[in-house]
Amino acid sequence: AEGSGSRKGGVDGQVRSFEEIPHTGRNSWVNLLRFWREDRFRQLHKHMERTFNALGPIYREHVGTQSSVNIMLPSDISELFRSEGLHPRRMTLQPWATHRETRHHSKGVFLKNGEEWRADRLLLNKEVMMSEAVRRFLPLLDEVAKEFCQMLQTKVEKEGRGERGKRSLTIDPSPDLFRFALEASCHVLYGERIGLFSSSPSLESQKFIWAVERMLATTPPLLYLPHRLLLHLGAPLWTQHASAWDHIFSHAEERIQRGYQRLSPSQSRDREGGGRYTGVLGQLMEKGQLSLELIKANITELMAGAVDTAVPLQFALFELGRNPEVQQRVRQQVQASWARAGGDPQKALQEAPLLKGTIKETLRLYPVGTTVQRYPVKDIVLQNYHIPAGTMVQACLYPLGRSAEVFEDPRRFDPGRWGKSREEGQRGAGTGFRSLAFGFGARQCVGRRIAENEMQLLLMHILLSFHLSVPSSEDIKTMCTLILQPETPPKITFSKL
C-alpha cells in the first residue's frame, strides 16, 4: 500500500534534540569542497536519494552558506505545511535578488516575502490561477499547441520515411519544445504571437532560451557562496549569471513596451466591445492595481520560468514512447473526450483525466524543481526530532517520487495511479502531499495553471496526431542545473496516425 512512512522514537520516547538529527558533516566549507570535487551540484537529486537511503527519512546538511533540514515523507511535509504561517517563506535565491538590487529592478513575488508578497500575490492569482482566468487563456494555449502539431506534421511529411500519409520521423524534439513553450507563454502573458514556428525562427528568441539556460546553470553554485564577495571580485560566474538576467529583462522589457503601446487608452477605446483577451499583461495594466514596475518584475519572472515546461514535455514523450500500452490508454481517452468536446479545449481536458495523470506521473519521476523549502513559523517535531522555528526545511521531491515507502512500484510509469478511485484507496496520514512539483499552499508556483494546461494541451494534440516510440528505452541520465533535465535529450519517433 502507498503510505507515508514511520516515525523514529527516541530511546525513552522523548523528542530528540535538533543536534541529534543525522547529518552529512559539520564543516560547511569542507562539505562545499566535496560538492565541487565530486560534481554533486549536477547530481544533487541523486545525492539526496543516496543520503536518505543511508541516514533515514530526515537529515541535516550544511554546505557553504546554506544550512537545511531535508525531509521526504508526506506525513512530515504535511506537518511542515501546517506551520508555514500566513506569509510562507521559501529559500531566497540570493543571486537573483542581488541582480535585482544591483540593477535597481523591482522584485516579483518569487523574491518577495511578508505582507508585500501577499498583497502582490493575491492580485496576480486573479489573472493566472483563478478558474475564470484559466477559461480565458486556454484557447490561446490550444491555438499554439494545434499549430505546433501542424508544424510537426509538415516536418514528418517532408523529412520522414515511409509511404505518404503514414510517414515517421525520429528527432530530438527539445529545440522545438523550447520554441513551443516560449510561443505559448508569450501568447498568454503578452497577448501576442511571436512567430517561432516559422521555418527560420528569430535569433532573438533563441538567445532568450540560451539566456534562461545560462541563468539556470549558474544559479546553484552561486547559492552556496558569499555572493557579495563574488560581485565585488567580478567573478566570471557572477558576471555570466548577471548578463543572462540582463538579457532576460531586455527581452521582457521590449515586449512589455510593445504591449503598453498596444493597450494605451486610445488603442483600448478602439477595442471596446470586442472583448478580446489581452493576455496577463493587458489584464494587469487595465486593472491598474500593480505599478508598471511591479508588472514588469512579475511578467519577467513568469517568462523566465515559462520555458521550463519544455523539459517535462521531453520526459513525458519519452515515457509514453517506451510504454506503448499506457500511451494507447491515454490516447483512447483523449480521442473520446476530443470527439465529445466539440472543439472546446477546457471540456476536452476535463473529460481526459489520464492527461493530467500523465503530467503528474512525469513530474513524480522527474520533478522540475528538486526541492520545496519552507521556514516554519513555530517550533515543530519531525521524525521525533525538535525543529526550531525559522529553520530552513526542504521537502526533497526526487527521493519522494521514487520511494517504495510512498508509492507502490515506484519505477513504473502509471498515470492511472492518480485517478480518484486509486487515490481514495490510499488515504492515510499525509498522502495528500505526494504530488508536489508545483509546491503547496499559498506559495505554490504562480505559473502552475499556465504550465499544467500548456503541457496537457500539447500532449493531447500530439496523441491525436502521432504514435510515439523511442529508439532506446534505456533510462534517461538526468542532471541538475537549478532544474532537473536530461543529460542528453531523448530522441522520439513520431509516426503519423
Side-chain angles (χ1 to χ4, degrees):
E2 301 182 19
S4 51
S6 58
R7 293 178 171 271
K8 282 185 191 166
V11 178
D12 51 4
Q14 296 284 306
V15 171
R16 297 177 175 192
S17 71
F18 181 79
E19 286 69 30
E20 289 178 90
I21 299 172
H23 61 82
T24 57
R26 293 190 190 281
N27 189 315
S28 67
W29 300 107
V30 169
N31 289 344
L32 181 60
L33 276 173
R34 198 178 291 139
F35 262 63
W36 281 108
R37 205 172 53 236
E38 297 172 14
D39 203 18
R40 282 191 200 168
F41 289 118
R42 273 169 63 86
Q43 291 297 313
L44 192 57
H45 55 306
K46 298 279 191 183
H47 162 71
M48 288 171 174
E49 189 174 44
R50 281 194 302 272
T51 310
F52 282 119
N53 287 339
L55 299 181
I58 186 169
Y59 70 90
R60 281 189 297 141
E61 187 142 66
H62 196 180
V63 180
T65 55
Q66 294 292 345
S67 193
S68 67
V69 169
N70 291 356
I71 58 174
M72 59 159 278
L73 292 175
S75 54
D76 293 332
I77 301 167
S78 170
E79 187 67 33
L80 180 64
F81 167 64
R82 285 198 290 274
S83 65
E84 70 174 5
L86 186 62
H87 305 128
R89 275 175 62 215
R90 57 153 67 103
M91 178 175 75
T92 298
L93 294 177
Q94 202 55 58
W96 297 19
T98 302
H99 171 267
R100 306 302 187 273
E101 289 154 17
T102 56
R103 300 299 197 263
H104 307 292
H105 289 312
S106 295
K107 290 174 183 171
V109 290
F110 194 85
L111 293 170
K112 280 186 173 177
N113 287 304
E115 189 49 55
E116 195 186 18
W117 161 79
R118 189 173 178 80
D120 290 1
R121 176 71 198 235
L122 290 173
L123 292 173
L124 270 181
N125 280 353
K126 289 177 188 168
E127 305 310 330
V128 292
M129 293 289 279
M130 301 297 187
S131 54
E132 176 57 23
V134 174
R135 187 186 64 73
R136 297 180 79 182
F137 67 62
L138 259 183
L140 278 68
L141 293 174
D142 191 49
E143 179 191 315
V144 180
K146 278 180 183 162
E147 201 173 303
F148 176 91
C149 282
Q150 284 161 5
M151 177 202 75
L152 198 53
Q153 283 182 329
T154 305
K155 196 175 198 168
V156 172
E157 203 54 52
K158 274 172 70 176
E159 301 169 29
R161 295 178 169 186
E163 59 185 272
R164 187 169 289 282
K166 286 278 183 186
R167 293 202 167 148
S168 63
L169 180 67
T170 303
I171 52 168
D172 160 15
S174 62
D176 291 329
L177 292 172
F178 276 106
R179 286 205 291 269
F180 161 75
L182 186 51
E183 183 80 27
S185 307
C186 280
H187 202 17
V188 169
L189 294 176
Y190 303 126
E192 68 167 3
R193 296 292 301 271
I194 55 174
L196 284 181
F197 299 156
S198 66
S199 52
S200 53
S202 74
L203 186 61
E204 173 217 5
S205 302
Q206 189 53 59
K207 281 182 177 171
F208 176 81
I209 292 166
W210 287 334
V212 171
E213 286 173 351
R214 193 162 65 249
M215 177 273 289
L216 292 171
T218 51
T219 299
L222 287 169
L223 283 176
Y224 299 92
L225 294 162
H227 55 283
R228 288 282 170 193
L229 176 66
L230 296 176
L231 176 64
H232 182 67
L233 294 173
L237 193 63
W238 167 256
T239 310
Q240 282 178 33
H241 183 75
S243 68
W245 268 121
D246 290 343
H247 195 96
I248 291 164
F249 265 83
S250 67
H251 181 274
E253 171 82 39
E254 200 180 307
R255 307 233 163 266
I256 288 166
Q257 283 305 330
R258 259 215 306 274
Y260 195 53
Q261 286 158 8
R262 207 171 58 242
L263 298 157
S264 63
S266 61
Q267 299 269 355
S268 52
R269 269 197 300 275
D270 297 341
R271 242 184 27 249
E272 266 169 32
R276 185 177 162 272
Y277 179 63
T278 53
V280 175
L281 175 67
Q283 298 299 301
L284 290 171
M285 282 178 169
E286 282 171 24
K287 289 182 181 165
Q289 292 170 298
L290 279 176
S291 71
L292 192 58
E293 269 303 301
L294 286 178
I295 291 173
K296 187 168 92 174
N298 283 295
I299 291 282
T300 305
E301 281 178 12
L302 279 165
M303 271 310 301
V307 294
D308 294 350
T309 51
V311 178
L313 282 168
Q314 292 174 55
F315 288 124
L317 293 174
F318 170 77
E319 287 292 354
L320 288 168
R322 75 165 174 175
N323 291 281
E325 312 82 13
V326 173
Q327 181 186 155
Q328 191 49 25
R329 273 202 306 280
V330 182
R331 179 181 292 104
Q332 283 170 346
Q333 196 178 78
V334 163
Q335 286 170 330
S337 74
W338 183 246
R340 285 194 300 269
D344 178 346
Q346 189 162 29
K347 196 173 176 196
L349 293 186
Q350 281 167 349
E351 295 197 18
L354 281 177
L355 269 178
K356 191 167 193 175
T358 299
I359 298 300
K360 286 177 90 165
E361 189 70 344
T362 301
L363 293 170
R364 172 181 76 82
L365 290 167
Y366 311 100
V368 177
T370 50
T371 66
V372 178
Q373 322 83 33
R374 290 292 185 273
Y375 297 79
V377 294
K378 59 183 183 186
D379 289 14
I380 56 173
V381 175
L382 297 175
Q383 291 295 318
N384 216 45
Y385 292 106
H386 173 250
I387 312 290
T391 304
M392 182 170 81
V393 183
Q394 295 196 117
C396 301
L397 305 189
Y398 186 88
L400 159 68
R402 290 165 182 258
S403 167
E405 275 193 74
V406 182
F407 293 98
E408 195 178 312
D409 198 0
R411 302 282 157 165
R412 184 163 52 94
F413 185 76
D414 177 16
R417 77 168 80 235
W418 301 100
K420 275 205 174 96
S421 57
R422 295 266 294 275
E423 282 272 87
E424 279 159 12
Q426 304 300 346
R427 289 282 178 251
T431 51
F433 287 81
R434 301 182 313 137
S435 178
L436 298 173
F438 293 104
F440 53 76
R443 194 126 205 185
Q444 65 187 279
C445 170
V446 72
R448 174 180 194 156
R449 299 287 174 239
I450 298 172
E452 284 176 329
N453 286 293
E454 183 185 305
M455 291 190 285
Q456 286 180 63
L457 284 166
L458 186 68
L459 286 185
M460 177 175 81
H461 288 298
I462 284 176
L463 289 171
L464 288 169
S465 306
F466 301 100
H467 177 268
L468 306 168
S469 53
V470 287
S472 167
S473 59
E474 274 182 42
D475 285 352
I476 298 176
K477 287 190 171 73
T478 49
M479 64 176 185
C480 260
T481 53
L482 190 61
I483 62 173
L484 189 73
Q485 44 194 137
E487 280 186 8
T488 305
K491 283 192 158 51
I492 311 290
T493 301
F494 295 87
S495 305
K496 289 182 82 171
L497 287 176

